[in-house]
Amino acid sequence: MSRLLVTGGAGFIGSNFVHYVLANTDHTVTVLDKLTYAGNLASLDGLPEDRFRFVKGDIQDAALVDALFAEHDAVVHYAAESHNDNSLANPRPFLDTNIIGTYTLLEAARKHDTRFHHISTDEVYGDLELDDPAKFTEQTPYNPSSPYSSTKAGSDLLVRAWVRSFGVKATISNCSNNYGPYQHVEKFIPRQITNVLRGERPKLYGKGENVRDWIHANDHSSAVLTILEKGVIGETYLIGADGERNNKDVVELILMTLGQPADAYDHVVDRPGHDLRYAIDSTRLRSELGWEPQFSDFESGLADTIAWYRDNEAWWAPQKDETEAKYKAQGQ
Protein backbone atom coordinates (compact mmCIF):
# COMPACT_ATOMS: atom_id res chain seq x y z
CA MET A 1 0.00 0.00 0.00
CA SER A 2 2.76 2.43 -0.87
CA ARG A 3 0.56 4.79 -2.91
CA LEU A 4 -2.25 6.30 -0.83
CA LEU A 5 -5.10 8.49 -2.03
CA VAL A 6 -6.64 10.58 0.77
CA THR A 7 -9.99 12.24 0.10
CA GLY A 8 -10.63 15.40 2.08
CA GLY A 9 -6.96 15.62 2.91
CA ALA A 10 -6.99 19.43 3.15
CA GLY A 11 -9.51 19.30 5.97
CA PHE A 12 -8.76 19.06 9.67
CA ILE A 13 -8.55 15.34 10.34
CA GLY A 14 -7.43 14.45 6.82
CA SER A 15 -4.51 16.89 6.82
CA ASN A 16 -3.33 15.59 10.18
CA PHE A 17 -3.41 12.07 8.73
CA VAL A 18 -1.36 13.15 5.70
CA HIS A 19 1.28 14.74 7.93
CA TYR A 20 1.35 11.63 10.13
CA VAL A 21 1.72 9.19 7.22
CA LEU A 22 4.50 11.14 5.53
CA ALA A 23 6.36 11.51 8.84
CA ASN A 24 6.04 7.87 9.92
CA THR A 25 6.05 5.75 6.73
CA ASP A 26 7.63 5.60 3.28
CA HIS A 27 4.25 5.91 1.52
CA THR A 28 3.47 8.52 -1.11
CA VAL A 29 0.23 10.46 -0.69
CA THR A 30 -2.14 12.14 -3.11
CA VAL A 31 -4.83 14.39 -1.62
CA LEU A 32 -8.13 14.86 -3.43
CA ASP A 33 -10.05 17.80 -1.98
CA LYS A 34 -12.78 20.10 -3.28
CA LEU A 35 -11.47 22.98 -1.12
CA THR A 36 -14.79 24.03 0.33
CA TYR A 37 -14.61 26.49 3.22
CA ALA A 38 -13.39 23.64 5.48
CA GLY A 39 -10.41 22.77 3.26
CA ASN A 40 -7.23 24.77 3.56
CA LEU A 41 -4.13 24.28 1.42
CA ALA A 42 -2.07 25.96 4.13
CA SER A 43 -2.70 22.85 6.25
CA LEU A 44 -0.52 20.93 3.76
CA ASP A 45 2.41 23.34 3.67
CA GLY A 46 5.90 21.93 4.04
CA LEU A 47 5.22 18.39 2.87
CA PRO A 48 7.92 16.62 0.79
CA GLU A 49 7.30 17.34 -2.89
CA ASP A 50 8.67 13.97 -4.01
CA ARG A 51 6.10 12.06 -1.93
CA PHE A 52 3.08 14.35 -1.96
CA ARG A 53 0.76 15.90 -4.53
CA PHE A 54 -2.54 17.74 -4.38
CA VAL A 55 -5.50 17.36 -6.75
CA LYS A 56 -8.42 19.76 -6.54
CA GLY A 57 -11.66 17.99 -7.31
CA ASP A 58 -15.00 16.65 -6.15
CA ILE A 59 -15.46 13.06 -4.97
CA GLN A 60 -18.72 13.07 -6.96
CA ASP A 61 -16.71 13.47 -10.20
CA ALA A 62 -16.74 9.85 -11.37
CA ALA A 63 -14.22 10.33 -14.20
CA LEU A 64 -11.66 12.01 -11.96
CA VAL A 65 -12.19 9.48 -9.17
CA ASP A 66 -11.77 6.59 -11.59
CA ALA A 67 -8.48 7.96 -12.92
CA LEU A 68 -7.09 8.48 -9.41
CA PHE A 69 -8.12 5.04 -8.16
CA ALA A 70 -6.27 3.49 -11.09
CA GLU A 71 -3.03 5.09 -9.81
CA HIS A 72 -3.24 4.15 -6.13
CA ASP A 73 -3.00 1.06 -3.95
CA ALA A 74 -5.32 2.21 -1.17
CA VAL A 75 -7.80 4.99 -0.46
CA VAL A 76 -8.60 6.60 2.89
CA HIS A 77 -11.91 8.44 2.68
CA TYR A 78 -12.08 11.47 4.98
CA ALA A 79 -14.02 13.81 2.69
CA ALA A 80 -17.33 14.78 4.27
CA GLU A 81 -19.59 17.60 5.23
CA SER A 82 -19.24 17.31 8.98
CA HIS A 83 -20.49 20.33 10.95
CA ASN A 84 -23.77 19.67 12.76
CA ASP A 85 -24.84 23.31 12.84
CA ASN A 86 -24.43 23.56 9.07
CA SER A 87 -26.42 20.37 8.54
CA LEU A 88 -29.31 21.84 10.49
CA ALA A 89 -29.24 25.03 8.41
CA ASN A 90 -28.86 23.31 5.01
CA PRO A 91 -28.92 19.49 4.85
CA ARG A 92 -28.56 19.09 1.07
CA PRO A 93 -24.73 19.33 0.78
CA PHE A 94 -24.48 16.55 3.36
CA LEU A 95 -26.53 14.25 1.14
CA ASP A 96 -24.47 15.14 -1.93
CA THR A 97 -21.04 14.64 -0.39
CA ASN A 98 -21.60 12.01 2.28
CA ILE A 99 -23.96 9.75 0.33
CA ILE A 100 -23.41 10.32 -3.41
CA GLY A 101 -19.71 11.06 -2.96
CA THR A 102 -19.15 7.85 -1.00
CA TYR A 103 -21.13 5.87 -3.58
CA THR A 104 -18.91 7.28 -6.35
CA LEU A 105 -15.76 6.22 -4.49
CA LEU A 106 -17.12 2.74 -3.77
CA GLU A 107 -17.88 2.15 -7.43
CA ALA A 108 -14.29 3.05 -8.30
CA ALA A 109 -12.97 0.77 -5.54
CA ARG A 110 -15.15 -2.00 -6.94
CA LYS A 111 -13.85 -1.47 -10.48
CA HIS A 112 -10.16 -1.28 -9.55
CA ASP A 113 -10.20 -3.72 -6.59
CA THR A 114 -8.69 -0.98 -4.43
CA ARG A 115 -8.22 -1.27 -0.67
CA PHE A 116 -10.67 1.24 0.83
CA HIS A 117 -10.95 2.64 4.34
CA HIS A 118 -13.98 4.71 5.28
CA ILE A 119 -13.79 7.32 8.06
CA SER A 120 -16.99 7.68 10.05
CA THR A 121 -18.11 9.10 13.38
CA ASP A 122 -19.49 7.96 16.71
CA GLU A 123 -22.45 10.25 16.07
CA VAL A 124 -24.09 7.54 13.96
CA TYR A 125 -24.95 5.80 17.23
CA GLY A 126 -26.96 8.73 18.59
CA ASP A 127 -26.20 9.63 22.18
CA LEU A 128 -26.02 8.21 25.70
CA GLU A 129 -27.52 9.47 28.93
CA LEU A 130 -25.15 11.55 31.04
CA ASP A 131 -25.23 9.03 33.89
CA ASP A 132 -25.18 5.91 31.70
CA PRO A 133 -22.08 3.74 32.36
CA ALA A 134 -22.30 2.27 28.84
CA LYS A 135 -20.09 3.19 25.90
CA PHE A 136 -20.54 2.74 22.15
CA THR A 137 -19.20 -0.55 20.75
CA GLU A 138 -19.11 -2.06 17.27
CA GLN A 139 -22.45 -3.73 18.09
CA THR A 140 -24.31 -0.55 19.12
CA PRO A 141 -27.37 0.02 16.87
CA TYR A 142 -27.35 3.12 14.69
CA ASN A 143 -29.58 5.94 15.95
CA PRO A 144 -28.44 9.19 14.26
CA SER A 145 -30.07 12.44 15.35
CA SER A 146 -28.99 15.08 12.81
CA PRO A 147 -28.75 15.42 9.02
CA TYR A 148 -24.97 15.14 9.42
CA SER A 149 -24.95 11.95 11.47
CA SER A 150 -27.75 10.36 9.43
CA THR A 151 -25.84 10.85 6.18
CA LYS A 152 -22.70 9.41 7.77
CA ALA A 153 -24.75 6.42 8.93
CA GLY A 154 -26.02 6.03 5.39
CA SER A 155 -22.51 6.12 3.99
CA ASP A 156 -21.40 3.44 6.48
CA LEU A 157 -24.23 1.19 5.31
CA LEU A 158 -23.23 1.73 1.68
CA VAL A 159 -19.71 0.57 2.49
CA ARG A 160 -21.01 -2.54 4.23
CA ALA A 161 -23.29 -3.33 1.31
CA TRP A 162 -20.49 -2.93 -1.26
CA VAL A 163 -18.31 -5.29 0.80
CA ARG A 164 -21.01 -7.93 0.98
CA SER A 165 -22.54 -7.57 -2.49
CA PHE A 166 -19.46 -6.77 -4.57
CA GLY A 167 -16.46 -7.89 -2.52
CA VAL A 168 -14.99 -4.42 -2.08
CA LYS A 169 -11.95 -4.59 0.22
CA ALA A 170 -13.16 -2.06 2.76
CA THR A 171 -12.98 -1.33 6.48
CA ILE A 172 -14.78 1.31 8.55
CA SER A 173 -13.74 3.27 11.62
CA ASN A 174 -16.03 5.32 13.85
CA CYS A 175 -14.14 7.87 15.90
CA SER A 176 -14.96 10.17 18.78
CA ASN A 177 -14.52 13.96 18.69
CA ASN A 178 -11.09 15.05 17.43
CA TYR A 179 -9.02 18.02 18.54
CA GLY A 180 -5.59 19.27 17.48
CA PRO A 181 -3.89 21.46 14.86
CA TYR A 182 -5.56 22.63 11.64
CA GLN A 183 -9.16 22.45 12.93
CA HIS A 184 -11.55 25.08 11.56
CA VAL A 185 -12.52 27.74 14.10
CA GLU A 186 -16.22 26.90 13.72
CA LYS A 187 -15.57 23.79 15.83
CA PHE A 188 -15.93 23.82 19.61
CA ILE A 189 -12.36 23.68 20.93
CA PRO A 190 -10.64 25.97 18.38
CA ARG A 191 -13.52 28.46 18.61
CA GLN A 192 -13.03 28.82 22.33
CA ILE A 193 -9.22 28.96 22.08
CA THR A 194 -9.23 31.63 19.38
CA ASN A 195 -11.85 33.68 21.21
CA VAL A 196 -9.61 33.85 24.27
CA LEU A 197 -6.54 34.61 22.14
CA ARG A 198 -8.47 37.54 20.63
CA GLY A 199 -9.54 38.82 24.03
CA GLU A 200 -13.14 37.69 23.54
CA ARG A 201 -15.25 35.50 25.80
CA PRO A 202 -15.80 31.83 24.89
CA LYS A 203 -19.33 30.67 24.09
CA LEU A 204 -20.97 27.68 25.76
CA TYR A 205 -24.08 25.99 24.38
CA GLY A 206 -26.81 25.71 27.03
CA LYS A 207 -25.55 24.57 30.42
CA GLY A 208 -22.46 22.92 28.96
CA GLU A 209 -23.32 19.51 30.38
CA ASN A 210 -22.95 17.69 27.04
CA VAL A 211 -20.10 15.17 27.14
CA ARG A 212 -17.71 14.37 24.30
CA ASP A 213 -15.03 11.68 24.18
CA TRP A 214 -12.03 13.70 22.96
CA ILE A 215 -9.13 12.24 20.98
CA HIS A 216 -6.08 14.02 19.57
CA ALA A 217 -5.94 13.98 15.77
CA ASN A 218 -2.51 12.30 15.84
CA ASP A 219 -3.99 9.37 17.75
CA HIS A 220 -6.83 9.12 15.24
CA SER A 221 -4.23 9.10 12.46
CA SER A 222 -2.17 6.33 14.01
CA ALA A 223 -5.31 4.27 14.55
CA VAL A 224 -6.42 4.65 10.92
CA LEU A 225 -2.98 3.63 9.66
CA THR A 226 -3.10 0.58 11.95
CA ILE A 227 -6.52 -0.42 10.57
CA LEU A 228 -5.36 0.11 7.00
CA GLU A 229 -2.38 -2.19 7.56
CA LYS A 230 -3.85 -4.80 9.93
CA GLY A 231 -7.66 -4.50 9.85
CA VAL A 232 -9.88 -7.37 8.73
CA ILE A 233 -11.79 -6.62 5.50
CA GLY A 234 -15.45 -5.92 6.13
CA GLU A 235 -14.97 -5.08 9.78
CA THR A 236 -15.63 -1.92 11.78
CA TYR A 237 -13.31 -0.55 14.48
CA LEU A 238 -14.11 2.14 17.03
CA ILE A 239 -11.39 4.70 17.79
CA GLY A 240 -11.29 6.45 21.15
CA ALA A 241 -8.81 7.51 23.82
CA ASP A 242 -10.95 7.58 26.99
CA GLY A 243 -11.13 11.37 26.88
CA GLU A 244 -14.65 12.05 28.20
CA ARG A 245 -15.15 15.66 29.27
CA ASN A 246 -18.23 17.86 29.39
CA ASN A 247 -18.19 21.10 27.43
CA LYS A 248 -18.20 23.28 30.53
CA ASP A 249 -15.06 21.61 31.87
CA VAL A 250 -13.31 21.99 28.50
CA VAL A 251 -14.07 25.72 28.28
CA GLU A 252 -12.89 26.27 31.84
CA LEU A 253 -9.68 24.31 31.19
CA ILE A 254 -8.96 26.41 28.09
CA LEU A 255 -9.48 29.62 30.04
CA MET A 256 -7.27 28.54 32.94
CA THR A 257 -4.51 27.29 30.61
CA LEU A 258 -4.51 30.73 28.99
CA GLY A 259 -4.36 32.49 32.34
CA GLN A 260 -7.99 33.62 32.48
CA PRO A 261 -10.68 33.15 35.16
CA ALA A 262 -12.46 29.83 34.76
CA ASP A 263 -15.89 31.50 34.61
CA ALA A 264 -15.05 34.10 31.94
CA TYR A 265 -17.42 32.69 29.31
CA ASP A 266 -20.97 33.34 28.04
CA HIS A 267 -23.88 30.92 27.77
CA VAL A 268 -25.56 30.95 24.34
CA VAL A 269 -28.61 29.31 22.74
CA ASP A 270 -28.24 25.54 22.66
CA ARG A 271 -28.06 23.58 19.40
CA PRO A 272 -31.39 21.92 18.40
CA GLY A 273 -31.36 18.20 19.21
CA HIS A 274 -27.95 18.52 20.88
CA ASP A 275 -26.68 15.00 21.70
CA LEU A 276 -26.03 14.51 25.41
CA ARG A 277 -23.03 12.21 25.58
CA TYR A 278 -20.66 10.22 23.37
CA ALA A 279 -18.32 7.56 24.71
CA ILE A 280 -16.19 5.08 22.77
CA ASP A 281 -15.12 1.58 23.77
CA SER A 282 -12.00 0.97 21.66
CA THR A 283 -11.21 -2.43 23.20
CA ARG A 284 -11.34 -4.27 19.89
CA LEU A 285 -8.89 -1.93 18.16
CA ARG A 286 -6.47 -2.21 21.08
CA SER A 287 -6.73 -5.95 21.73
CA GLU A 288 -6.94 -7.24 18.15
CA LEU A 289 -4.71 -4.74 16.31
CA GLY A 290 -2.41 -3.62 19.14
CA TRP A 291 -3.14 0.11 18.91
CA GLU A 292 -2.63 2.50 21.84
CA PRO A 293 -3.11 6.30 21.97
CA GLN A 294 -0.14 8.57 22.55
CA PHE A 295 -2.16 11.44 24.05
CA SER A 296 -3.89 9.56 26.87
CA ASP A 297 -3.76 12.73 29.01
CA PHE A 298 -6.35 15.19 27.64
CA GLU A 299 -4.89 18.13 29.57
CA SER A 300 -1.48 17.81 27.93
CA GLY A 301 -2.97 17.27 24.49
CA LEU A 302 -5.15 20.35 24.91
CA ALA A 303 -2.14 22.38 26.05
CA ASP A 304 -0.28 21.35 22.87
CA THR A 305 -3.31 22.36 20.80
CA ILE A 306 -3.59 25.74 22.50
CA ALA A 307 0.10 26.36 21.82
CA TRP A 308 -0.41 25.53 18.12
CA TYR A 309 -3.23 28.07 17.76
CA ARG A 310 -1.24 30.68 19.66
CA ASP A 311 1.68 30.18 17.25
CA ASN A 312 -0.36 29.96 14.03
CA GLU A 313 -2.72 32.93 14.02
CA ALA A 314 -1.96 33.49 10.32
CA TRP A 315 -3.60 30.12 9.62
CA TRP A 316 -6.86 30.69 11.52
CA ALA A 317 -7.37 34.47 11.44
CA PRO A 318 -8.83 34.61 7.89
CA GLN A 319 -11.64 32.24 8.99
CA LYS A 320 -12.49 33.88 12.27
CA ASP A 321 -14.56 36.99 11.51
CA GLU A 322 -16.86 35.26 9.03
CA THR A 323 -17.37 32.34 11.40
CA GLU A 324 -18.26 34.52 14.37
CA ALA A 325 -20.63 36.61 12.24
CA LYS A 326 -22.47 33.43 11.30
CA TYR A 327 -22.74 32.31 14.92
CA LYS A 328 -23.91 35.77 16.01
CA ALA A 329 -26.73 35.67 13.47
CA GLN A 330 -27.83 32.38 15.02
CA GLY A 331 -27.74 33.80 18.56
CA GLN A 332 -24.72 31.60 19.37
Side-chain angles (χ1 to χ4, degrees), residues 1-10 14 17-18 21 27-33 51-59 61-79 104-106 108-109 112 114-119 224 228:
M1 295 186 295
S2 61
R3 300 172 299 169
L4 300 185
L5 173 64
V6 179
T7 72
F17 178 73
V18 172
V21 167
H27 299 326
T28 62
V29 175
T30 299
V31 165
L32 171 62
D33 198 295
R51 296 172 55 211
F52 169 76
R53 69 168 170 144
F54 176 80
V55 176
K56 183 178 180 180
D58 192 331
I59 60 171
D61 183 341
L64 174 60
V65 165
D66 181 78
L68 289 171
F69 270 65
E71 300 173 356
H72 293 85
D73 304 309
V75 176
V76 183
H77 176 32
Y78 283 94
T104 304
L105 298 173
L106 286 168
H112 295 282
T114 307
R115 174 73 171 91
F116 186 84
H117 182 69
H118 177 65
I119 304 295
V224 168
L228 193 64

Side-chain angles (χ1 to χ4, degrees), residues 281-316:
D281 182 344
S282 58
T283 299
R284 185 182 192 196
L285 177 63
R286 300 183 192 218
S287 62
E288 295 185 12
L289 304 187
W291 174 81
E292 291 291 339
Q294 175 187 354
F295 289 92
S296 56
D297 177 15
F298 176 72
E299 285 77 7
S300 65
L302 184 62
D304 286 348
T305 301
I306 290 171
W308 187 89
Y309 280 93
R310 181 193 290 121
D311 296 341
N312 289 275
E313 184 172 357
W315 182 90
W316 57 263

Side-chain angles (χ1 to χ4, degrees), residues 4 6 8-9 11-25 27 76 78 117 119 173 175-182 215-230 239-241 285 289 291-295:
L4 300 185
V6 179
F12 162 47
I13 308 177
S15 63
N16 275 279
F17 178 73
V18 172
H19 281 275
Y20 185 88
V21 167
L22 291 173
N24 292 279
T25 75
H27 299 326
V76 183
Y78 283 94
H117 182 69
I119 304 295
S173 59
C175 191
S176 54
N177 286 59
N178 281 231
Y179 70 98
Y182 305 114
I215 183 172
H216 194 281
N218 274 6
D219 285 334
H220 189 183
S221 297
S222 69
V224 168
L225 190 61
T226 297
I227 296 167
L228 193 64
E229 295 172 345
K230 301 179 182 179
I239 304 173
L285 177 63
L289 304 187
W291 174 81
E292 291 291 339
Q294 175 187 354
F295 289 92

Side-chain angles (χ1 to χ4, degrees), residues 175-245:
C175 191
S176 54
N177 286 59
N178 281 231
Y179 70 98
Y182 305 114
Q183 188 172 26
H184 195 284
V185 294
E186 72 181 3
K187 299 290 190 173
F188 178 68
I189 285 180
R191 185 187 185 199
Q192 314 316 325
I193 293 171
T194 54
N195 273 6
V196 178
L197 291 175
R198 277 195 163 188
E200 301 168 4
R201 291 169 67 89
K203 311 298 181 186
L204 187 65
Y205 283 162
K207 296 179 180 179
E209 294 175 344
N210 307 72
V211 173
R212 298 296 177 258
D213 191 352
W214 295 102
I215 183 172
H216 194 281
N218 274 6
D219 285 334
H220 189 183
S221 297
S222 69
V224 168
L225 190 61
T226 297
I227 296 167
L228 193 64
E229 295 172 345
K230 301 179 182 179
V232 177
I233 299 303
E235 296 299 319
T236 294
Y237 299 89
L238 267 60
I239 304 173
D242 301 320
E244 285 189 67
R245 297 287 190 285

Side-chain angles (χ1 to χ4, degrees), residues 31 52 54 87 95 110 120 148 162 199 208 233-234 246 265 276 303 323:
V31 165
F52 169 76
F54 176 80
S87 81
L95 294 164
R110 173 187 176 190
S120 189
Y148 160 56
W162 261 245
I233 299 303
N246 71 39
Y265 58 85
L276 290 176
T323 299

Side-chain angles (χ1 to χ4, degrees), residues 247-262:
N247 291 345
K248 179 176 178 290
D249 288 346
V250 173
V251 167
E252 292 177 351
L253 182 57
I254 290 170
L255 283 162
M256 290 187 292
T257 303
L258 286 167
Q260 301 295 314

